[in-house]
Amino acid sequence: QVQLVESGGGLVQPGGSLRLSCAASGISFTLYTMGWYRQVPGKQRELVARFTISGTTNYADSVKGRCTISNAKNTVDLQMNSLKPEDTAVYYCNAVRIATRYNYWGQGTQVTVSS
């Protein structure tokens, strides 16, 4: 059974930092693209960053230079620096096996950037 469990969200002031962590079980990182997405009410879920099976990383333009995705063993972390109010969203961990129906989501963790 696949499980993705996020942690690390919370309230932070503008300019602050947060580190989100996704603990994955039941999947192999050698077969799945792992990523972080975010969603605000009324908008589509959007990619923040992802780690492909070839080892490359992709970032949304809005977070380039401020976020770093990394993985170790069975966790995928998202380090977010210089946070802005517009980064406020629910952040979701995702595991997808390209060209298959296997696409999994965590339950989400709230990030609020506010003074």
Side-chain angles (χ1 to χ4, degrees):
Q1 185 177 356
V2 177
Q3 276 195 313
L4 303 174
V5 180
E6 301 103 333
S7 61
L11 173 65
V12 63
Q13 291 190 338
S17 298
L18 276 178
R19 188 176 185 87
L20 307 183
S21 186
C22 173
S25 59
I27 59 171
S28 169
F29 283 9
T30 60
L31 297 175
Y32 283 81
T33 291
M34 302 298 299
W36 283 94
Y37 288 72
R38 65 187 182 188
Q39 189 171 25
V40 297
K43 290 192 174 182
Q44 273 194 317
R45 197 168 293 188
E46 63 175 9
L47 173 72
V48 178
R50 65 184 168 200
F51 217 113
T52 70
I53 58 174
S54 63
T56 60
T57 53
N58 305 123
Y59 294 93
D61 287 343
S62 58
V63 304
K64 276 181 183 175
R66 300 189 297 118
C67 290
T68 303
I69 190 170
S70 61
N71 67 340
K73 277 206 166 180
N74 295 323
T75 63
V76 180
D77 291 349
L78 183 69
Q79 177 67 41
M80 302 189 295
N81 301 320
S82 302
L83 282 162
K84 305 175 182 179
E86 51 263 44
D87 294 318
T88 296
V90 178
Y91 284 70
Y92 296 91
C93 182
N94 174 256
V96 60
R97 190 168 175 179
I98 304 300
T100 74
R101 63 182 174 88
Y102 300 110
N103 188 9
Y104 303 100
W105 295 94
Q107 82 284 356
T109 185
Q110 176 71 47
V111 171
T112 303
V113 184
S114 175
S115 55

